[in-house]
Structures are given as C-alpha cells and as structure tokens.
Amino acid sequence: MTPGARLAAAIGILSEAETTRLPLDRALERWAKANRYAGSKDRAAISAHVYDVMRTRALLADRMKSEAPRALALAALKLAGGKSVDEIAALAEDGKYAPGPLSEEERAQLEGAGPAGPHDPRNLALNYPAWLDPYVERAYGEALERELAALNQPAPVDLRANLLKTDRETLQADLAAEGINAQPTYWSPWGLRLSSPRRLRGLKAIREGEAEIQDEGSQFVSALLGAAPGDKVIDYCAGAGGKTLAIGAMMAGQGEILACDVEGRRLKRLRERAKRAGLFNIAVEELGPGGLTGMEGRADRVILDVPCSGTGTWRRQPEARWRLTPEGLIRYSGEQAAILEEAAPLVRPGGLLLYVTCSLLREENEDQIAGFLEKHAEFETLPWSACLPEGWPRPGEGAADFLRLSPASTGTDGFFAALLGRAA
C-alpha cells in the first residue's frame, strides 16, 4: 500500500468505529479481514495512526475545529507524527487510493495547529472530555496529571497461566519455543507479560487452555476473593468469564461456580473457554428481570464485576473516553446500585461480597459502597487484602479498606475493589 492509501484506510477505520461504535481493535480487525492484500507493515502503520488519533483526539479536534475522522487523521500527522503541512498535503494526494487534496480550510487549520501550551485547558494535553474535569479531579487530586498521562500510553499484553494445566515457568518456556519473549508479572504470580504485542489466538497454549489473555490487574482482583476448593461462588456479572476462569483455577476445579450475565452470547463463550481450560465445575445462567432467584443465602462468595465507565481501561480502549457521556455515567451508577441490591441477598451469613469496577471514578466506587452500607447494616467493609493468598505482593501502603490499581501506580489496567463481609 502507498502511504496515501494507508492514510485513507485509517480515516475509513475511524469513520466505521464512530458510526458502528465498535471497539477500535474490532474495527481494525474487520478492516484487515476485508483487505487481506494489506501486509503486516501496512496493518501496523494503519493501526499506529488510528491509535495516535485517539490518544491525542482532544487536542486534534480543538486545533482543527472539527471532530470529523479526516480532520483528526490529518492533524495527527502533524501533532503526533511531526510532519509538515506540505508533507501532509503530498500524502493526501499520493495516488488514486489516497484521501484527496487538502481544502483551503484544512490547510489553514493545519498551519496554525500547535502542541498544547500552558494556557490551554488541561484536558487537551491529557486527552479527556472537558465535562469529566471535576470527576477526575475528585478521583486523583494532585496525582491527576501523572495518572491521566499513563492512561494515554499503549497497553501491554498479559497472559495468565492456567495452573490446572501448567505453571508459569513452563508456560514461559513454551512461549519462548514459539519465539515469544514473556517476563513474569510482578503483582500476579500467575501472569506473564509479553515483551511486544502480537496476535495470540493461534498459540498452542491458548488453543489448549494452558493460558488466557488477561490483564495483570484483572488477575490480581480475581485473587482477592480468596476462593478455595469446595466453595460455592457466584460470579454475578461474568461476561466472557476472564475472572470466572481465574477463580476456578484458584479452586483447583473443585466446588461450584455459577457464572451469570444478562447477555447469553457472552456466556456461550465462557462455556467454550471453561471446557478448554479443564474447568467442569462452572455452570452458567442468563439473568432475566429481577436477577437470580432461588439462591438466596447460599453463596460463600459473590463477585460483582459491575458494568462501568471503563475509565481504567482507557489506554487499552482510548475510544471509550469519547463515548462516555454525563447521562451514561449516571446510568452506570444506577445499574451498579441495582446490582448490589440484587446480589447482596445471595451471600450466606459469614460469606463475602467482592465489588469490582474497571473505573477510576469515585462515583462508581467509594460512593457506591458508602450508599450500599447505609442500607445494609448486615455488611461491613473488610481490608481488601483479607483473603489475598499468602505470598502475593500488596500494592500501596497503609491500611486502606479499598484497593485501587492504575497504569501509573501499578502498571496494570485501572481497577477498584472493595471486600465486604456479611455478619454471621
């Protein structure tokens, strides 16, 4: 492909992602499948450009006075790629598959486009919607710039060794034999971090259930449940089951896990993954209106990985920050409170409830727990590390009740976790 054709492809992918609201990685995959003539270097260059746009979108839109994918893609060539306006103009006309000549307005906007300066609003440099300013200020305070800057960096790829079939050292050696360099993760004794991102679905370890793709932070919060062989566990918002499978391995495949979700298609994927992982103690149930019935007071442990804004995953899904709205955040908060109310009765007296989000906003985290405890005197907050397996490192200092992970503080995706105990 010519450089101009690559630019046109990036614009097309950005347009499709915006129109369909597909995750950015899915939009890139769809384009690659439909354009198999594109080589690996073409795909890498197009992907890099698309992510450059999303990781600088606030500044690009401000400088171009437009949120159109073409305007953003052109501006990214200058502000993220360091190209001159003449070089950009040449790219835009580079062959019949290029996006086409610059308009006078585009050239004028590009000529005046410069980096974020000291007089610009901070959301332009840190790449987030201006309406979120009071929310991130409340979440981070003085650490705001460091934390949000880390959310603009590329995310690593982590694997979790399935201890029912292998161990971390053996998995590392098996990956090396396939030409993949991976190093042990620090926070999770189950994890390996790849030295460079690559497509993994065809790996023998993945095909045979010896490894799962799972961020180190997700592995860590799964361990907080402290699930043991013989326990009865409910994963109330299981989704495709990453945490379900990690918990099942903790339980050595013994005991009972009921994985629930409102989307049956995601549970179908979990069934397939559980079989591959050698976990036959996992049952699934699609939730209808009113939640799960007939299980009140029967679960030793319940994990709620609730729907949320996903602010902790912005480095992995940079487009998500532009799809979040004030109304959406209110909706998430309502859903979280409702799920807590539905799931709390499932915990037996003396049992545990683990509340998890991949959000960094207090409205979805500390505020939710405070509101829940006001209504439920039978529950109390426990130290987040109360059930963490012996020998695991403990991020952060002090005796805080809640766990916070973030790219800046732990090098993981952003997570919040609160462990609650029900009175016996």
Side-chain angles (χ1 to χ4, degrees), residues 3 22 33 87 89 104 131 203 220 223 227 283 293 301 339 352 357 383:
L22 274 175
K33 287 181 180 178
E87 288 174 322
E104 290 184 8
W131 70 266
L203 283 180
F220 192 91
T293 59
R301 287 165 165 77
I339 290 170
L352 298 173
T357 76

Side-chain angles (χ1 to χ4, degrees), residues 391-415:
W392 282 56
R394 284 157 168 73
E397 299 295 335
D401 288 331
F402 306 134
L403 173 68
R404 276 182 171 273
L405 305 177
S406 74
S409 63
T410 53
T412 68
D413 283 353
F415 283 97

Side-chain angles (χ1 to χ4, degrees), residues 78-106:
K78 181 178 182 183
L79 296 178
K83 293 188 180 300
S84 69
V85 177
D86 286 341
E87 288 174 322
I88 296 170
L91 273 176
E93 299 183 64
D94 180 28
K96 67 176 182 178
Y97 297 111
L102 300 183
S103 68
E104 290 184 8
E105 183 180 4
E106 286 172 335

Side-chain angles (χ1 to χ4, degrees), residues 102-384:
L102 300 183
S103 68
E104 290 184 8
E105 183 180 4
E106 286 172 335
R107 179 176 279 276
Q109 297 289 6
L110 286 168
E111 292 283 4
H119 301 297
D120 281 315
R122 66 184 174 191
N123 73 293
L124 296 189
L126 296 172
N127 197 42
Y128 63 91
W131 70 266
L132 270 173
D133 207 53
Y135 296 93
V136 293
E137 176 74 40
R138 184 170 179 243
Y140 289 127
E142 294 181 357
L144 185 149
E145 290 194 11
R146 181 173 68 92
E147 292 284 352
L148 289 178
L151 284 166
N152 280 310
Q153 301 303 310
V157 176
D158 298 335
L159 300 180
R160 176 182 58 79
N162 176 10
L163 301 188
L164 292 179
K165 291 193 168 187
T166 189
D167 55 55
R168 182 162 69 171
E169 292 72 22
T170 301
L171 176 61
Q172 184 179 22
D174 290 344
L175 291 173
E178 293 192 60
I180 298 174
N181 183 24
Q183 299 302 316
T185 53
Y186 179 77
W187 301 111
S188 169
W190 303 330
L192 289 170
R193 176 159 294 180
L194 273 61
S195 299
S196 60
R198 56 167 291 170
R199 298 173 71 88
L200 297 171
R201 301 295 179 187
L203 283 180
K204 174 178 175 291
I206 300 291
R207 293 197 315 269
E208 298 187 359
E210 297 172 351
E212 291 284 343
I213 302 170
Q214 186 178 21
D215 177 75
E216 181 184 13
S218 179
Q219 297 178 36
F220 192 91
V221 297
S222 301
L224 299 183
L225 195 63
D231 280 344
K232 291 185 178 182
V233 174
I234 296 176
D235 187 346
Y236 197 75
C237 307
K243 294 181 181 64
T244 310
L245 298 176
I247 292 165
M250 277 189 85
M251 297 167 63
Q254 302 171 34
E256 302 173 23
I257 303 177
L258 179 59
C260 309
D261 202 87
V262 294
E263 294 190 33
R265 63 179 180 80
R266 303 181 78 186
L267 293 174
K268 182 179 179 181
R269 287 179 57 204
L270 173 54
R271 285 192 183 98
E272 296 166 355
R273 294 171 71 191
K275 181 179 179 180
R276 191 168 62 226
L279 287 166
F280 302 102
N281 62 330
I282 296 175
V284 302
E285 182 164 338
E286 184 173 355
L287 294 175
L292 186 63
T293 59
M295 290 288 292
E296 291 81 0
R298 294 177 59 186
D300 298 303
R301 287 165 165 77
V302 174
I303 178 170
L304 305 179
D305 185 7
V306 297
C308 69
S309 64
T311 48
T313 65
W314 277 358
R315 63 178 185 164
R316 203 173 295 280
Q317 297 178 307
E319 73 280 7
R321 69 191 74 197
W322 305 110
R323 296 178 182 177
L324 182 64
T325 64
E327 297 76 19
L329 183 56
I330 292 171
R331 185 177 66 252
Y332 281 127
S333 295
E335 290 175 356
Q336 291 152 7
I339 290 170
L340 275 164
E341 291 296 325
E342 287 179 8
L346 305 174
V347 183
R348 67 165 174 80
L352 298 173
L353 174 68
L354 180 65
Y355 177 86
V356 177
T357 76
C358 54
S359 170
L360 304 169
L361 305 181
R362 295 180 66 89
E363 288 76 11
E364 300 181 273
N365 297 330
E366 290 91 344
D367 292 357
Q368 287 290 358
I369 298 302
F372 174 77
L373 292 177
E374 283 181 5
K375 299 177 183 178
H376 294 274
E378 73 274 23
F379 281 89
E380 65 174 347
T381 304
L382 301 176
W384 62 263

